[in-house]
Amino acid sequence: MNAVSKALHDPLNIPDSRGLNLFECDAGLAALLKVYLPSDLYQHWLPTWQQLGARAGNELDILALSADKNPPKLLPRTRRGEDIQSIQKHPDFIELERVAYAELGLAAMSHRDDGTLPLVKYALTFLFVQAEFGLCCPVSMTDSLTRTLRKFGAPELVARYLPSLVSQDFDTLFQGAMFMTEQAAGSDVSRTQTRATLKDGEWLLSGEKWFCSNPDADLAMVLARPDDAPDGMSGVSLFLLPKRRPDGSRNAYRIQRLKDKLGTRSMASGEITLEGATAYLIGEVGRGFQQMADMVNMSRLSNGVRAAGLMRRGVNEALYIARHRRAFGKHLIEMPLMQRQLLKMMLPTEQARSMFMQIATLLPKADAGDEAARKCVRILTPLIKFRACRDARRVTGDAMEVRGGIGYIEEWSDARLVRDAHLGSIWEGTSNIVALDIGRAVVREQALEPLQQHLSTLLADAGLPAQSHCLFASLLDRTVARMSTVAGERRDDEVRQAGSALYHIATAIFMAWEASQQPDNSRRLALAHLLLQHKLLPRDPLNPEPAIDAQLLSRLADESPLSHAEAMQLLPV
């Protein structure tokens, strides 16, 4: 019996979505993939997305719940006293690894010249993360490490390690990690104290790394300071640290303990002591942070995709409950307050989805040398990391509230979603750090003008009625001017506000353009108009919220297709 038929025969009035296909219940995902992907590529991957949607709502979700309750354990020694530094993973987590690394090839997909676009990988991640969040961190780090190695690594290193990094043979493939954080140097990488000593032509690393996820990875990117390097950022270099030396012996570093975390409990994070560990210099001495910045940026994009997936899982759950649970003689979704709550969850969810699809579409152009696309990716990536990861905390919390008291119980997915959602706004830079990076992208990279041009082009292509187009264009000009002033004058205390406004106008324009590519459904234009109303235009907090026709509000909350005329009803006046 599937999730829908169970709900129709539920004397307990407790809807259980187990068995829901998370691809097929989300019509907006398929519609957007048709917009952004060539039709032949969409058709090729459609069966995989459908199958993954079914597994994410059932089998993978069951495995993830089990892995969350059975976190990994550190086994420092064998019973004979051999110093193995092994991490024991629960079989259900290993099965999730098998699906992600071997079956789907999520870490390897971007590194094959087979014509697969980045958006395909991110769409798969978006579905997978709705079941399991923790594993997506090692997958992302493996993907990003491979990209950095290919970009900056010596040819002999690439030849040695790339085949294992892109392999889908589960018994032989390599996983990746990055070890940056130190107790005295969290986000301030310039205070890195780990030492790199060049001895007989070999680099040896010594020091402490305080927060290392996937600490038993086969390869890790590590920041360290050569012995003769100056203080500050210019003295930091990037190294590749293998778990095993070329002769097969265990490298000289120790996992001191594993962290007891709020979320991502299925995946190991630990503290590492480097004791003269063999490592290989990546790129130039003294440019470690600049070289690792690309890896960090890709990890930040992955964080945004994962936040979008968490929010969508929350919306899926909330919609399912609202459609099938009855109270006071009605289904919850018939109640105006619930309709508004659902809509408030949908808006940030759809913003994040449009944002990551746009970045994924620009990424191949950037990698091919398109400077304007590179600058757009450079500023859009911290934008999605800054805003979407914070939005996920609220959306998942609201979704738990829709389920009610049992949503607080760990037998259901809701509590795990809330716990995991708090990670995104911390790892790869806290919100303040990432907001400041938006300002750096404006000033140092001169990324704001190309982004404005990109948004203006999309707005022109959307073919909106004059009144709507003028409002979008005016708000875009004002937002860009504000962001330029804040960044240029180093008004750091205002950069979060300006960055949020830039995120809101960018995603609103993305959605308006997407609507123009779907002539039979203007729902995304309606959402874009609501974004302008609630996120960018002034409002008196003591006045009632802008009225929405009751029937239109109901259709918005139920994710029904909307006509162009209905979308225009929501244009702010």
Side-chain angles (χ1 to χ4, degrees):
M1 184 179 292
N2 63 30
V4 174
S5 60
K6 282 193 298 182
L8 294 175
H9 302 86
D10 181 18
L12 299 177
N13 196 25
I14 301 177
D16 188 343
S17 62
R18 176 63 51 72
L20 191 65
N21 187 310
L22 299 180
F23 180 81
E24 293 182 352
C25 76
D26 179 8
L29 176 57
L32 282 178
L33 290 172
K34 288 179 182 178
V35 167
Y36 282 100
L37 290 174
S39 58
D40 58 339
L41 194 60
Y42 172 83
Q43 291 298 331
H44 175 77
W45 283 97
L46 179 59
T48 304
W49 289 320
Q50 291 171 327
Q51 293 163 13
L52 180 56
R55 298 179 74 183
N58 197 355
E59 166 205 351
L60 300 183
D61 192 52
I62 294 171
L63 291 172
L65 281 166
S66 172
D68 182 71
K69 291 177 172 59
N70 296 278
K73 299 176 181 178
L74 176 62
L75 303 179
R77 288 188 167 194
T78 68
R79 64 182 183 179
R80 295 171 53 199
E82 297 165 300
D83 192 8
I84 59 170
Q85 294 289 297
S86 174
I87 292 178
Q88 182 183 72
K89 302 173 183 177
H90 191 271
D92 289 342
F93 185 78
I94 294 173
E95 186 58 31
L96 289 165
E97 288 184 310
R98 189 183 303 277
V99 173
Y101 282 102
E103 292 184 32
L104 297 175
L106 292 180
M109 190 173 294
S110 296
H111 310 289
R112 294 187 176 137
D113 299 324
D114 60 0
T116 300
L117 296 175
L119 182 53
V120 171
K121 175 189 70 177
Y122 290 124
L124 290 167
T125 302
F126 177 82
L127 287 167
F128 186 89
V129 78
Q130 292 186 50
E132 165 59 16
F133 181 90
L135 175 58
C136 287
C137 178
V139 169
S140 170
M141 289 193 296
T142 305
D143 184 9
S144 299
L145 179 147
T146 306
R147 178 183 170 94
T148 302
L149 176 64
R150 293 179 68 188
K151 195 169 183 178
F152 300 110
E156 59 270 20
L157 282 180
V158 176
R160 182 188 306 172
Y161 292 118
L162 184 62
S164 296
L165 287 166
V166 301
S167 172
Q168 286 182 237
D169 181 342
F170 189 67
D171 295 326
T172 61
L173 62 82
F174 275 15
Q175 294 188 26
M178 54 182 176
F179 303 160
M180 288 197 299
T181 306
E182 299 180 10
Q183 285 179 286
S187 297
D188 187 0
V189 175
S190 66
R191 298 184 64 189
T192 295
Q193 296 177 359
T194 297
R195 308 303 300 184
T197 301
L198 186 59
K199 183 178 181 181
D200 299 328
E202 183 178 87
W203 288 100
L204 304 176
L205 304 186
S206 302
E208 301 271 347
K209 292 296 182 181
W210 179 242
F211 209 113
C212 306
S213 290
N214 207 22
D216 64 339
D218 302 279
L219 294 168
M221 288 291 183
V222 183
L223 289 177
R225 190 181 303 279
D227 287 336
D228 57 352
D231 293 335
M233 193 73 79
S234 62
V236 178
S237 298
L238 181 62
F239 296 88
L240 182 69
L241 175 74
K243 181 164 68 174
R244 296 196 174 276
R245 297 187 179 95
D247 64 5
S249 63
R250 177 84 188 201
N251 210 345
Y253 64 89
R254 183 180 304 279
I255 305 171
Q256 299 288 15
R257 65 167 179 164
L258 299 186
K259 303 285 194 179
D260 185 8
K261 297 173 294 182
L262 170 70
T264 63
R265 299 182 65 85
S266 62
M267 182 267 300
S269 300
E271 300 164 18
I272 284 181
T273 300
L274 299 155
E275 301 168 326
T278 300
Y280 305 99
L281 179 68
I282 299 296
E284 302 174 34
V285 173
R287 290 189 54 81
F289 182 75
Q290 291 85 347
Q291 289 153 185
M292 199 167 196
D294 185 71
M295 182 175 181
V296 171
N297 224 33
M298 289 301 98
S299 293
R300 285 177 174 175
L301 173 55
S302 177
N303 264 293
V305 176
R306 284 178 266 164
L310 286 179
M311 286 190 277
R312 185 62 216 188
R313 175 64 190 276
V315 169
N316 286 339
E317 293 294 320
L319 277 171
Y320 187 86
I321 295 156
R323 286 166 176 161
H324 296 111
R325 184 170 173 82
R326 294 183 64 85
F328 309 107
K330 294 181 179 180
H331 284 104
L332 299 185
I333 202 166
E334 299 176 75
M335 301 176 180
L337 270 180
M338 178 59 71
Q339 292 168 353
R340 283 190 174 268
Q341 183 173 352
L342 290 169
L343 191 53
K344 288 176 181 178
M345 294 166 59
M346 290 172 183
L347 276 175
T349 301
E350 296 305 330
Q351 284 182 274
R353 180 144 68 177
S354 291
M355 181 65 90
F356 87 70
M357 290 194 178
Q358 278 285 328
I359 299 173
T361 303
L362 288 164
L363 195 55
K365 300 175 185 177
D367 287 342
D370 185 325
E371 186 64 7
R374 185 193 69 80
K375 290 182 177 181
C376 286
V377 170
R378 173 64 183 87
I379 191 169
L380 290 174
T381 299
L383 277 173
I384 190 173
K385 168 66 168 68
F386 167 57
R387 261 284 35 114
C389 293
R390 291 187 63 80
D391 289 340
R393 289 155 46 175
R394 178 170 55 83
V395 171
T396 54
D398 286 352
M400 182 167 66
E401 184 180 352
V402 172
R403 177 161 267 132
I406 61 172
Y408 199 68
I409 306 304
E410 293 281 358
E411 293 173 301
W412 301 78
S413 63
D414 307 81
R416 178 167 51 95
L417 293 180
V418 172
R419 288 189 282 106
D420 287 348
H422 280 72
L423 170 69
S425 57
I426 298 175
W427 283 7
E428 321 303 352
T430 60
S431 297
N432 285 345
I433 293 297
V434 178
L436 291 169
D437 191 45
I438 297 168
R440 283 193 293 272
V442 172
V443 175
R444 297 180 187 176
E445 304 279 346
Q446 299 294 298
L448 192 55
E449 184 178 345
L451 176 60
Q452 183 177 18
Q453 182 58 51
H454 178 62
L455 293 172
S456 297
T457 300
L458 291 178
L459 187 57
D461 290 346
L464 298 176
Q467 187 179 4
S468 180
H469 182 277
C470 287
L471 182 57
F472 276 99
S474 172
L475 287 170
L476 174 60
D477 288 344
R478 289 180 58 200
T479 303
V480 168
R482 174 69 172 156
M483 186 75 245
S484 179
T485 298
V486 167
E489 297 181 3
R490 291 297 304 270
R491 299 183 190 175
D492 291 351
D493 59 325
E494 299 175 22
V495 74
R496 290 177 67 114
Q497 180 192 45
S500 292
L502 188 59
Y503 179 80
H504 295 319
I505 190 61
T507 51
I509 291 174
F510 293 157
M511 286 195 277
W513 176 82
E514 291 160 355
S516 73
Q517 307 301 303
Q518 303 175 55
D520 297 329
N521 185 3
S522 293
R523 174 180 173 79
R524 299 194 77 73
L525 178 58
L527 297 178
H529 285 158
L530 286 173
L531 273 178
L532 302 187
Q533 176 73 66
H534 291 278
K535 297 297 184 180
L536 289 166
L537 292 174
R539 283 184 53 214
D540 183 343
L542 296 181
N543 279 343
E545 290 190 345
I548 300 177
D549 174 78
Q551 184 177 3
L552 179 54
L553 177 60
S554 176
R555 289 167 59 76
L556 280 165
D558 202 32
E559 295 197 321
S560 301
L562 300 180
S563 68
H564 188 267
E566 288 174 316
M568 292 304 295
Q569 288 182 41
L570 297 170
L571 176 68
V573 293

